[in-house]
Amino acid sequence: MKKIILLLFIVFLLTSTACANTEKGELSNMKITIQITSDSGNHNLNATLTDNSSATAFYELLKKGPLTIKMSDYGNFEKVGSLGTKLPRNDTQIKTEAGDIILYQGNQITIYYDTNSWNFTRLGKVDGVTQAELKKILGKGDVTAVFEVLK
């Protein structure tokens, strides 16, 4: 009887691990687009979401339709704007890089064009853009960002 219980437990563990790996693989394929309107013009960026419940909730929100956010400069290293809703937080002490998409306090989204260190939730990262390119795209003033699922 003990051997059967042990065998069932091992099968359960293997199945759980396989499911977790599948979910991780599916999540890494979650891509979004961000259309930025700034003083430097209109720009389209692609981003890949991170593997956490916050990014999954953000993706599910975007599946309902595009999300337009007015973003302002903060600290000469990020653009930040209100999501208009709360998402689950997975805050950890991190150092941001240019292109990081961060959830702050569960209800604000930021796009970093420089570094910062704090307790944040990483949602994703803009694909294939250098820090200098991102600074130019985001410009000097407020921007409008339209986030949506990549089609």
Side-chain angles (χ1 to χ4, degrees):
M1 183 67 171
K2 289 181 182 179
K3 288 182 180 182
I4 291 173
I5 293 173
L6 180 60
L7 181 61
L8 288 173
F9 180 72
I10 292 171
V11 169
F12 172 77
L13 285 178
L14 292 173
T15 305
S16 298
T17 304
C19 289
N21 289 340
T22 300
E23 289 171 9
K24 195 176 272 189
E26 289 172 2
L27 187 60
S28 66
N29 291 328
M30 290 196 317
K31 301 272 191 178
I32 63 171
T33 62
I34 311 165
Q35 181 182 1
I36 302 288
T37 303
S38 68
D39 63 358
S40 68
N42 294 321
H43 308 273
N44 289 309
L45 304 171
N46 291 333
T48 303
L49 295 182
T50 303
D51 187 1
N52 64 40
S53 62
S54 305
T56 300
F58 184 57
Y59 189 77
E60 291 300 318
L61 179 66
L62 296 181
K63 282 171 58 176
K64 297 175 184 174
L67 184 61
T68 301
I69 300 176
K70 181 83 165 177
M71 303 179 86
S72 301
D73 200 74
Y74 180 81
N76 294 318
F77 52 78
E78 69 179 319
K79 299 290 184 182
V80 62
S82 175
L83 277 171
T85 190
K86 279 203 167 255
L87 298 177
R89 294 167 66 171
N90 288 283
D91 292 347
T92 58
Q93 180 69 34
I94 60 174
K95 182 175 181 181
T96 63
E97 299 175 349
D100 281 343
I101 302 167
I102 300 291
L103 177 67
Y104 178 64
Q105 295 184 340
N107 64 354
Q108 297 177 60
I109 191 164
T110 62
I111 301 174
Y112 277 82
Y113 58 87
D114 212 329
T115 61
N116 188 22
S117 182
W118 198 255
N119 282 328
F120 298 123
T121 298
R122 190 180 317 272
L123 291 177
K125 182 127 179 133
V126 175
D127 300 329
V129 179
T130 67
Q131 181 177 11
E133 291 168 332
L134 195 54
K135 279 185 178 183
K136 183 177 178 182
I137 289 168
L138 293 173
K140 297 186 191 278
D142 292 349
V143 303
T144 300
V146 180
F147 296 83
E148 64 184 306
V149 171
L150 183 65
K151 298 174 183 169

